[in-house]
Amino acid sequence: MPQDPAVGHGVPGMPRPAEADPALAAFPAQAPATRRWCFADQLGPHFLDRPDQPVLLIESKAVFARRRFHRQKAHLVLSALRHRAAELGDQAEFAQVRTYAEALDRVREPLSVCAPTTWSSRDHVLRRPDLTVLAARGFVATQEEFAGWAEGRGRRRLLMEDFYRDNRRRHDVLMDGAEPVGGRWNLDHDNREPPPSDGRLAVPEPWWPEEDEIDAQVRADLDRWAADGDVAFVGDDGPRLFPVTREEALYRWRTR
Amino acid sequence: MAHSLISPALNLGLLDPLEVVHAAEQRYRDSVAVGDPLPLNSVEGFVRQVMGWRDYIWHTYWHFGRDFRHANALAAHEAVPDWLTDLDDGAVDAACLSDVLGDLRRDGWVHHIPRLMVLGNYALQRGIDPLAMTDWFHRSFVDGYDWVMVANVVGMSQHADGGLLATKPYAAGGAYIDRMSDYCGGCRYDPRKRLGEDACPYTAGYWAFLERNRGRLAPNQRMRRALQGLDRLKGLEEVVEQERLRGTEAI
């Protein structure tokens, strides 16, 4: 792709790469001898260092009161968190509180957390004393790998395509030796065929989850919070459409 | 056309992206081994979304720093209108926008392309504040998170980063929506018209967007042809005035 001199790094008024920000420190990889606080977007087994590691899960009502979320988003997140708590049983301390701090203040043992996914939540965990912050998980490239790639681009644009190829090579995905399987990296062009004239493709109906008693409780709680005026939502309530457990997620993924 | 529907599960951390990618590759290799290969373009397209786009969006969220979310290179300051905040598809006549908004109200999810082409395109044309739109996308979608939406909305959709992520704004008129979808047939607006009662708000909005940002977009080589089209457009002043009056009222 041709270089456009009007864009790229160092343009006045444009965001610049963050440097030496504490939220982007080189965090340690593991802390197996601690209780692991898992945020509601860190619910898989890969956020633990060992299968029997003690876990802290916090359900904070304040998170839902801060913003007007889609009703089904609030349901999905709460249901996923409560399903994880139920699945872990005694292995997890499950705190249903107003704010994170209420739950964290009660912890009397070494606690760790994988770097959370927003600037504000990273600042929050870094302010807590006696909380070990670990490197982020749940993505393909590490922060260091991305930084190394970006550095190597110099003043050239940070092209997704180039980063993607780097990830493919690093993890040997769809590679025949040094070459991409099929000889081409990018097959986007083949994915731009027009739809059939009747607008329908012969694609099987996806698998949809079945709700359980945890979902029923979530629905009742959200109804009550809304009725009390504590929390407001947008969008319709409706049958849950997306997985909330690893088992459901694997099932949807494998039956594709 | 067919989608995995696994973005919420990935973003809840229930699945690890690498395991998903390895499993997709394994299934492809197995299909080749038994002489019935899956289409490589489908497998590669999936792998690209998970270990390309998703990972890239995550890392750019951090790489461009704390101020990335506040970038507003096109000086867009309109408020998110109430009908959009409330996902009120009933208030909207435009077939494409009403349908997408209705799906979002019912399911909390629509595919990537209507997000970009219908919802994002609308906000871009109407000059809605990109940070407010980032928050709107975050709240309204089951797979929306701050890290997902800053790079996707500020960068990919609203061009508020001045071109860090995308080489040109994703602004398109009604003719493009007509070509890429089957929405326009029964719509009260005509995608070929830019003036009058049945002028498509996307078509007219596109020209008004270009005119408003002419100076900001002029240095971008990839906008040259669009701006030449703007120079030749008949009735531009009327189009701009019509769209100024329309503002962010439900279309």
Side-chain angles (χ1 to χ4, degrees), chain A residues 112-135:
Chain A
S112 61
V113 66
C114 296
T117 59
T118 68
W119 286 102
S120 59
S121 53
R122 282 208 184 168
D123 291 344
H124 177 82
V125 299
L126 287 166
R127 274 196 306 268
R128 292 290 311 184
D130 308 321
L131 176 59
T132 304
V133 180
L134 305 174

Side-chain angles (χ1 to χ4, degrees), chain B residues 11 49 53-54 56-58 60-61 68 112 115-116 120 130 134 137 143 145-161 165-166 170:
Chain B
N11 293 352
Q49 292 307 314
W53 281 112
R54 181 176 184 272
Y56 176 77
I57 289 294
W58 162 256
T60 52
Y61 173 81
F68 188 20
H112 173 70
R115 295 190 204 197
L116 208 52
T134 300
F137 273 101
D143 56 4
Y145 290 83
D146 196 54
W147 70 264
V148 175
M149 291 307 181
V150 169
N152 265 310
V153 178
V154 171
M156 303 305 298
S157 168
Q158 300 300 298
H159 209 68
D161 61 353
L165 297 195
Y170 197 102

Side-chain angles (χ1 to χ4, degrees), chain A residues 93-124:
Chain A
E93 191 76 46
F94 181 37
Q96 294 175 289
V97 288
R98 205 179 58 80
T99 67
Y100 288 141
E102 278 174 44
L104 293 171
D105 289 344
R106 295 207 293 256
V107 176
R108 293 284 175 268
E109 62 194 308
L111 187 68
S112 61
V113 66
C114 296
T117 59
T118 68
W119 286 102
S120 59
S121 53
R122 282 208 184 168
D123 291 344
H124 177 82

Side-chain angles (χ1 to χ4, degrees), chain A residues 14 17 21 44 67-68 70 72-73 119 123 140-141 158 161 164 167 175 185 191 236 246 254, chain B residues 13-14 19 27 29 41 44 48 51 55-56 59 61 63 66 104-106 135 139 141 144 161:
Chain A
M14 288 298 111
D21 192 302
R67 288 191 164 92
R68 227 177 124 204
H70 197 294
Q72 291 178 55
K73 181 191 184 79
W119 286 102
D123 291 344
V140 176
L158 297 185
E161 181 71 32
Y164 164 63
N167 260 349
M175 299 297 292
W185 288 102
N191 289 328
D236 297 349
R246 180 156 170 86
R254 285 177 181 151
Chain B
L14 296 170
E19 78 176 327
R27 192 165 311 178
R29 293 203 182 261
N41 55 312
E44 191 279 322
R48 163 179 298 268
M51 79 185 310
D55 231 49
Y56 176 77
H59 284 292
Y61 173 81
H63 183 80
R66 292 172 184 269
L104 181 57
R105 172 177 57 73
R106 273 188 304 276
D135 186 59
R139 293 184 293 101
F141 285 83
D161 61 353

